Structure formats: C-alpha cells, structure tokens
Amino acid sequence: MRKNENRDSILGHLPAAFSRVVIARNRQGCIAMTSSSKKILLVEDMDINRVLMRKLMKGLDAELHEVQNGEMAVDYFEKGNTCDLIFMDKEMPIMDGHEATRLLRILGVKTPIIALSAGDLQSDRDLFIQAGANEYQTKLILSAAILSAPNGNRSVQGI
Amino acid sequence: MAAFAQEQLDALVNGMYREGFLDEQFQQIRALDEGGSPDFLVELLGLFCADTDRMLNEAALLLNQPIVDYKKVDAYFHQLKGSSASVGAHSFKLTCMLVRDSCDKNDKESCLEALNLAKQRFYELSKRLNIMIQLEQAVYAHKAGK
C-alpha cells in the first residue's frame, strides 16, 4: 500500500472534528483525553509510545483512552465500555496484540482495529488480519500520515 | 546569538543523521514541535534516556548472575528496541537487536559484548541528545523573547 493510500486509509478511521483536548483521569483509572464525541482506545505497553500517540492525537476531537496490554483491552470491553477506534500494539506483556484482537472479535467487538508495529513483516500483517484487525500500519507511517494531513482536513468521515 | 545556536543545532542534528545515530522517525518527532516550544521533545527524550539507563543497568545485573535469565534480558532489549525505534535512535536500536540475537543463542559472552556495545552507543547518543536539547531550548528562548 503506497503512502497516500496509507494516509487516506488511516484518516478514514479518525474522528471527524478538530479541537483542543485536555488530559484527565477517568473513573476506570485509564488516562483519558477529554472531552469530545469520539473515543479511541490505545493498547500500548510502552510509555514512550503512549506519550507520542497523545501528542499525535492532540488537537483532534477525540477522547483517548489507554491500556497497557491486550488483557486490559479485553477487560475494557468486557466491562461494557465502547469506543470508536482501537490502536493495537503488537508485542505486549501478558497478552499480545494478535491474541487480544482475536479475543475481541470472539467477544463480538466490531470496533475498527488498526494494528501498529515497529516492523513491517508480511507474516505479522497476515497474523493480525487473520485475527480480525482492519488495518496494519507501521508506527512510522502512522505518525507520518497524521502529520502530513492538512489542518482542518485531518479527519475524514469514517466512524 | 540565536543564529549561532541554530547553526550549531543544525550541524549537530545533520551530523547525527549522517553518522547513523538518528533516522527518519526522529524527523517526524521534531516535526511535532515545529514552530512551537521544544517541551515535547525534551519530555520524550528525557523519558527515553531515563528508561534506557535504567534498563541497561538492570540487564547488566541479570547478565552478571551465575545463571542468566535470558528471557528477562531479552524482554528488556525488546523494550529498548521498541523505544529506540519510536524516537528514531537508529544505531542504538541496532545494538539492541544484537543483544537480542545473543539472548536467542543463550550465549553469555556475546550478550555481554553486545551489552557493552549498546551501553557505549547509548552513552554517545545521550551526550549528543543532551546538547541538542540545550540548543533547542536556547533557540526557542531567543525566539520567544523577541
């Protein structure tokens, strides 16, 4: 998939409006950026990547929830929470992204899942898509795609 | 003064790309602060350096045990490989991969060699990153004071 196609595909999943957001801690103990109409769940174990994603998502009309592994992502939905988009890391302790994706689909979660990885192995892509992910992106391309979208046109209807 | 600091900063960063310390991912991260304060870069690089220092020390302790838990060592270097990839620390990331290869083979001697290389590479990188942060802050302070 070429870079422009990547961007359109990614942006198609991003929320529709554009405004400043504030970080707050919600009742479930997840860190949430409030407050707006769309919810994104970030499933990522590494602090640095969470800091990066918060920065990338800043300015979007989105509420960013974060959990640190696949098991917590599954718990999030089992407790009755919902969201509009999931960013799922690949390698995480306790439960990895493939397994979490597979279990979420078994649970009946239909939320779009974008798998994220530092690498770009075809075998990883295949495993994630087979598990039920909608898209697979390397983290570098994701950040480039979000950064390269013009302001005000950073999101496209899609969710 | 600001122009001099900017020149120094540009020379430093270009040198780091040229020598393989940094890659394209770092360009993306700098672009997040374009036109604004370097606070985010300072936060991110500060987190990276602190975490890396801690994990390198913990991995060294594990490797100096009579019986080495290679899985734990590998887990640290998986994290380090991930975080270095995220900030664009290219050559350091490569050394992390070398350690992981040695862990796969349960080869203590080559693990220790690779760990020393990783420490050296990290030391060289963090020195440059600290100078970069100071120059970024100096440039921004001058621009903000205008």
Side-chain angles (χ1 to χ4, degrees), chain A residues 28-133:
Chain A
Q28 284 117 346
C30 303
I31 295 174
M33 299 173 81
T34 61
S35 114
S36 204
S37 54
K38 303 295 182 186
K39 265 202 300 194
I40 298 176
L41 179 67
L42 172 62
V43 189
E44 170 62 64
D45 62 318
M46 293 181 58
D47 286 342
I48 278 177
N49 290 339
R50 290 199 301 275
V51 166
L52 260 175
M53 281 300 274
R54 280 178 220 148
K55 181 70 173 181
L56 284 168
M57 293 290 125
K58 199 171 179 181
L60 296 179
D61 183 18
E63 193 176 314
L64 184 68
H65 288 243
E66 301 170 20
V67 292
Q68 291 174 34
N69 59 60
E71 187 179 80
M72 292 174 77
V74 173
D75 284 347
Y76 179 90
F77 284 93
E78 283 183 330
K79 284 174 181 165
N81 294 301
T82 59
C83 65
D84 300 292
L85 178 65
I86 301 168
F87 284 119
M88 180 75 74
D89 185 27
K90 187 188 106 177
E91 289 191 54
M92 293 178 283
I94 303 172
M95 186 187 292
D96 68 19
H98 297 130
E99 182 64 11
T101 300
R102 195 183 65 80
L103 287 177
L104 288 175
R105 293 307 188 217
I106 288 171
L107 281 175
V109 173
K110 301 210 186 313
T111 311
I113 297 175
I114 299 183
L116 298 179
S117 176
D120 192 18
L121 293 173
Q122 188 60 44
S123 53
D124 281 338
R125 285 177 178 268
D126 292 344
L127 274 174
F128 257 117
I129 301 299
Q130 281 163 23

Side-chain angles (χ1 to χ4, degrees), chain A residues 46 48-49 91 140 144 147, chain B residues 25 28 32 78-79 83 86:
Chain A
M46 293 181 58
I48 278 177
N49 290 339
E91 289 191 54
L140 173 59
L147 287 170
Chain B
Q25 176 73 358
Q28 306 291 346
L32 289 169
H78 158 68
Q79 291 251 30
S83 61
S86 292

